[in-house]
Amino acid sequence: MTYWDKEKECISRKLLEDLQLRRLKETVYRVYAFVPAYKEKFDAAGVKPDDINSLEDIRKLPFTIKSDLRNNYPFNLFAVPMSEVVRIHSSSGTTGKPTVVGYTRKDLDTWSELMARALTSAGADRYSVIQNAYGYGLFTGGLGVHYGAEKLGASVIPSSGGNTKRQVMLMQDFGTTVLTCTPSYALFMAEVMEEMGITPADLKLKAGIFGAEPWSEDMRTKIEDSLKIKAFDIYGLSEIIGPGVAIECDAKNGLHIAEDHFLVEIIDPITEEVLPYGTPGELVITTLTKEALPMIRYRTRDLTTLDIVPCECGRTHVRMQKVLGRSDDMVIIRGVNIFPSMVESVLLRIKGVSPYYLLVVDRKGNLDFLEVQVEVSEEIFSDEVRRLEELGALITKELESALGIAVKVRLVEPKSIARSEGKATRVIDKRKI
Amino acid sequence: MAKQISVFLENKAGRLSNVTRVLGDAQINIRALSIADTSDFGILRIIVSDPVKAYKILKEAGFTVSETQVIAVQIPDSPGGLASVLEHMADENLNIEYLYAFLGTTENDALVIFKVEDIEKAEAAFKKKEIKFLDENQLYRL
């Protein structure tokens, strides 16, 4: 087993908890002293930094949510003067004001360390040729992976997203061994490769590190089969640091969260009650070492389960299960919670059905309807109406039994669902609520 | 036996015109055509002058395409002509998936395209009754 930083990754739980408490107290003192918005919230909740004397005491602190970042747009949550900030990233802001995050030089070092750990966990080393097809720019994916890969000493191809044929050409000509991008883009690349007549045997690709959107186990199987690689899930969010917060190891049984830098909790998203290990709920993260933008009990909206059982890889850090979905992506239809990943799993289990799909939710009268658009590939196309209707009925039946609500399946032409080079759009909600 | 090209079409304005334009631009002539439709999608079935090329260019244009084996049967162009052929097929227990008429005709015969369950059995049955059907080259050259 190879580790990037064995001492930190395999630290005993006792030493880890001591380290976490020390760092938590320091972080709480710092935000209380330097970030007026945190001081206000702590005061309103009647809690002082001195009240934090154990890890459990974190429950006394108020949560931070995405709108706190928006309300303090752009820099008001920063805990350091701008002279200390060396990098700024931002969300696209499609759903409102963008969220802005900042990094000190030490923050960037921490981030690179975490990404180097993550890449090592996925089997990469200084001999790897890493093609980084995450978008470069304001999005944390591109630069985050980039600096980690350089720290590792690998050869980095900063291909960024897009221009898929060129991506495949680079992969072939430069002998890429590790691909990093979103899972939906990896699958799209596999499709383009096939169209170009290039097979996995023509490449040196061994592993892929995919993240920035939730993806199912069936999607993993599909990617591993079509590219003949090992596919690892990576987790991160810009509010916390970016990619590298958690990474899968060879056991592929959950993602190890870098607990020396992040303190995690699972809460019931409705009651906000802290839940024990093993219970599914919303992941809440407190940063322990971030300087520019410390986050106290940040509600990620990601739904998962924490597993503290020691992992066969030797790392002691807690594992989070693959994210089931973002509560933002979740659609509630007639009281039933639906995640795009649930639809994806069903579709991938039906032979020949492509994983390109779109959920369209609409309201007619007072009733909500879910339409699932599925592309008809050559493999499942028939010249007989009856066969296609049977296929539609089969998909409908499988989806309805998995989701528990009525579904209208619409067969659509191939490529009519937009291929994403970044995060895929899986849901269109037309309801005017 | 003859090759029919089948194309999946979403029920959206302009899809059929796209297919026919792609074929037209490639100098491919449509000899016969039928569309099966449901509320959500349609299946275009065509007999063309060059099915191999048609399949290739439609696929390149991003359509879902397949090749289907069909029989082009010559039927006397007179009242009761189709009925006799269909009766004979029923007697022989030949299941018809679908059929459609050809646009052009040869001499005094009408042409009907049949998609049957068992194409070899159908050909044998037609031969027995001396019902004529066209081979591929005759068909595409019409």
Side-chain angles (χ1 to χ4, degrees), chain A residues 373 376-379 381-389 408-416, chain B residues 4 6-10 15 36 38 40-41 43 45 55 59 62 64-66 68 97-98 115:
Chain A
Q373 297 186 356
V376 174
S377 66
E378 201 158 307
E379 209 176 325
F381 175 56
S382 163
D383 61 305
E384 290 171 34
V385 172
R386 179 166 55 90
R387 296 259 159 82
L388 283 181
E389 284 184 336
K408 155 102 180 110
V409 170
R410 183 186 292 274
L411 300 177
V412 298
E413 286 174 22
K415 310 277 155 73
S416 63
Chain B
Q4 165 193 288
S6 314
V7 188
F8 180 80
L9 291 178
E10 247 179 274
R15 297 312 288 157
T38 72
D40 288 339
F41 62 86
I43 300 168
R45 300 157 180 157
Y55 176 84
K59 202 168 142 65
T64 301
V65 197
S66 73
T68 313
E97 305 283 359
Y98 54 81
K115 165 78 189 285

Side-chain angles (χ1 to χ4, degrees), chain B residues 2-38:
Chain B
K3 272 189 198 126
Q4 165 193 288
I5 298 296
S6 314
V7 188
F8 180 80
L9 291 178
E10 247 179 274
N11 267 5
K12 272 199 305 206
R15 297 312 288 157
L16 183 57
S17 71
N18 288 355
V19 177
T20 48
R21 174 50 61 203
V22 167
L23 293 171
D25 287 349
Q27 299 300 314
I28 292 169
N29 209 346
I30 299 173
R31 317 310 318 228
L33 169 156
S34 108
I35 293 177
D37 67 308
T38 72

Side-chain angles (χ1 to χ4, degrees), chain A residues 201-267:
Chain A
D202 301 324
L203 305 177
K204 291 185 177 154
L205 208 57
K206 289 190 193 73
I209 299 167
F210 307 119
E213 62 191 16
W215 49 305
S216 62
E217 275 304 326
D218 297 280
M219 180 89 158
R220 189 207 306 269
T221 309
K222 180 102 182 168
I223 292 174
E224 291 192 332
D225 287 351
S226 51
L227 288 173
K228 300 280 177 279
I229 58 169
K230 282 192 198 175
F232 295 87
D233 193 2
I234 187 167
Y235 176 78
L237 59 171
S238 61
E239 297 91 319
I240 296 304
I241 201 160
V245 172
I247 180 74
E248 277 182 327
C249 60
D250 249 341
K252 287 187 192 163
N253 185 19
L255 295 79
H256 290 281
I257 299 173
E259 284 186 285
D260 48 335
H261 295 279
F262 310 108
L263 187 60
V264 290
E265 303 164 86
I266 292 283
I267 64 163

